Amino acid sequence: MDMDGDWLLPRPNTLFKVNHRPAGSSLSQSSSIASTFSSLATPVVAEAVQRARALSTTSDVEGFHQLRVAFRKLRALYWAYSPYLGEEATAHATEEFKRLAAVAGGTRDWDIAGALLSAAQASGASVEPLVAAAREKRAQAVAHSQTMIQGDAVEAFLNDALLHAQTALQSRCNDLPIRAFARKRVRLAQRALQKRSRRAARGEATHEEDLHDVRKAGKKLRYLLEFFQPVIKGGHGRTIKTLTAVQNKLGQFNDIAASETLIRSASFSEVPPEVVQQSLQWLEEQKCRRMRAASRRVRAMS
C-alpha cells in the first residue's frame, strides 16, 4: 500500500461541524457554489466519521465497505470543486481519502476473496486450506484497519480539510450560482466515461486496465449525478440506473481480478502450493467469464 500520500492529521477541532442531513437536502438552483459544497460534503463526512468510530469495536463487513464508499464520494466531490479549490489542496485531500479508502478496503478485499474461495470449494475445488488461510488474512486486515483508522483522527482530518476547502470556496466563488458549474462538471465526467468506454470497446480483445478505467469513471459520474440532481436540468434517474447496472457487472469482474491479484501477492506458508494454484486456476476461469459479460455491457453503453 502506498503510504507516501499520508497527510498529517491535526488535532480534533470543532470548527467544522458534521450532521446527518441527506446529501443535497438544501440544494437549490439559487444556491452558490460555495454553499453547496458544505451541504454535499457534510453528510458524507458524518457517515465516514460514524463508520470509522464503529470500526474500533466491530469488524462489520458492510461497515468497511461503506467507509470506503464514503471516501470515494469525497474524492469525486473534491474533483468536482477542484477548479476553485486549487490543484494542491485537491491533491492533498484526495490522496488522503485514497489512502484511508485503501486501508478500509483491505478487510473488504479479503471478505470478497474469502467468499469466492468458498464458492470454489462448493463447486468441488479442493481449496479448504486456503479458505482457512484467507480468514486469517482477513483478521490481520481488520487489526491493521483498526490501528490505522482512528475515529478521532479521521474526524480531525476531515474537519480540517473541509474547513480549509470551505474557506477557499467562500473567498473565490461565494456568489457564483451552482447550476451552470454543476452541469459543466457533470459533462466533463460524462466525456471522460465516454472516452474510456470507447477505448475499452475498441478491437476484439478488451484489456483489464481499460475495464478498470471505465469502472472508475462510471463511479465518479454516478456520484456527481447523485450529488447534483437537485440543481441540474433533466431527470437523471435512468442514467444513474444504467450506470449502476454497468457498475455491477464491472464490479463482479473487478472482485475476481482483485482477488486473483491479492492471492498471487500474499504469502501462505501453511498452504500447499498446488492448492493455491488450483484456486488461481478457478479464479482465472471465472475472471474470463465475468470479463466477457462486463465487456458486453461496456460495448452496449459505448
Side-chain angles (χ1 to χ4, degrees), residues 83 98 107 154 166 239 249 259:
K98 185 177 180 180
T107 298
V154 169
Q166 191 62 42
T239 302
K249 286 295 182 184
S259 294

Side-chain angles (χ1 to χ4, degrees), residues 51 54-55 57-65 107 111 138 142:
R51 298 283 185 186
L55 293 181
T57 57
T58 181
S59 59
D60 175 56
V61 173
E62 188 64 15
F64 281 105
H65 173 59
T107 298
D111 282 326
R138 198 263 184 188
V142 169

Side-chain angles (χ1 to χ4, degrees), residues 36-262:
T36 55
F37 178 85
S38 176
S39 297
L40 294 171
T42 297
V44 184
V45 167
E47 180 172 8
V49 170
Q50 180 183 21
R51 298 283 185 186
R53 290 191 182 283
L55 293 181
S56 64
T57 57
T58 181
S59 59
D60 175 56
V61 173
E62 188 64 15
F64 281 105
H65 173 59
Q66 292 302 327
L67 180 59
R68 182 162 63 173
V69 169
F71 288 128
R72 285 173 173 171
K73 288 183 176 180
L74 287 172
R75 285 177 64 191
L77 196 61
Y78 265 69
W79 175 86
Y81 286 84
S82 60
Y84 293 107
L85 291 174
E87 289 185 11
E88 184 177 354
T90 301
H92 274 304
T94 54
E95 279 302 306
E96 182 65 359
F97 297 151
K98 185 177 180 180
R99 185 188 72 84
L100 290 167
V103 174
T107 298
R108 172 69 173 172
D109 290 343
W110 279 112
D111 282 326
I112 293 170
L116 288 169
L117 291 172
S118 295
Q121 186 179 10
S123 71
S126 301
V127 295
E128 184 176 354
L130 192 56
V131 173
R135 284 197 292 268
E136 178 60 29
K137 293 289 187 183
R138 198 263 184 188
Q140 294 171 8
V142 169
H144 177 70
S145 296
Q146 290 175 334
T147 300
M148 299 298 294
I149 300 178
Q150 300 291 326
D152 286 347
V154 169
E155 182 175 17
F157 159 66
L158 291 176
N159 282 348
D160 188 73
L162 295 180
L163 175 64
H164 280 84
Q166 191 62 42
T167 301
L169 293 173
Q170 286 174 347
S171 67
R172 296 168 183 170
C173 55
N174 196 43
D175 298 324
L176 298 178
I178 183 61
R179 183 172 168 184
F181 172 78
R183 291 176 65 185
K184 181 178 181 180
R185 299 307 285 171
V186 165
R187 281 198 300 270
L188 284 174
Q190 287 174 325
R191 289 170 188 163
L193 175 59
Q194 289 168 354
K195 182 178 179 180
R196 292 180 181 184
S197 298
R198 292 191 190 106
R199 183 187 304 148
R202 209 163 41 218
E204 294 186 7
T206 303
H207 298 288
E208 288 186 32
E209 296 81 4
D210 291 336
L211 289 179
H212 186 54
D213 286 344
V214 172
R215 181 169 170 265
K216 290 190 295 184
K219 280 187 176 182
K220 179 189 287 184
L221 176 58
R222 180 163 63 87
Y223 292 151
L224 294 187
L225 287 173
E226 290 171 351
F227 279 133
F228 291 130
Q229 267 198 105
V231 297
I232 55 179
K233 266 188 173 182
H236 293 278
R238 183 178 296 180
T239 302
I240 292 174
K241 184 179 290 188
T242 300
L243 286 170
T244 301
V246 174
Q247 290 295 312
N248 287 340
K249 286 295 182 184
L250 289 170
Q252 290 170 8
F253 162 70
N254 185 73
D255 287 348
I256 292 279
S259 294
E260 181 188 31
T261 300
L262 193 64

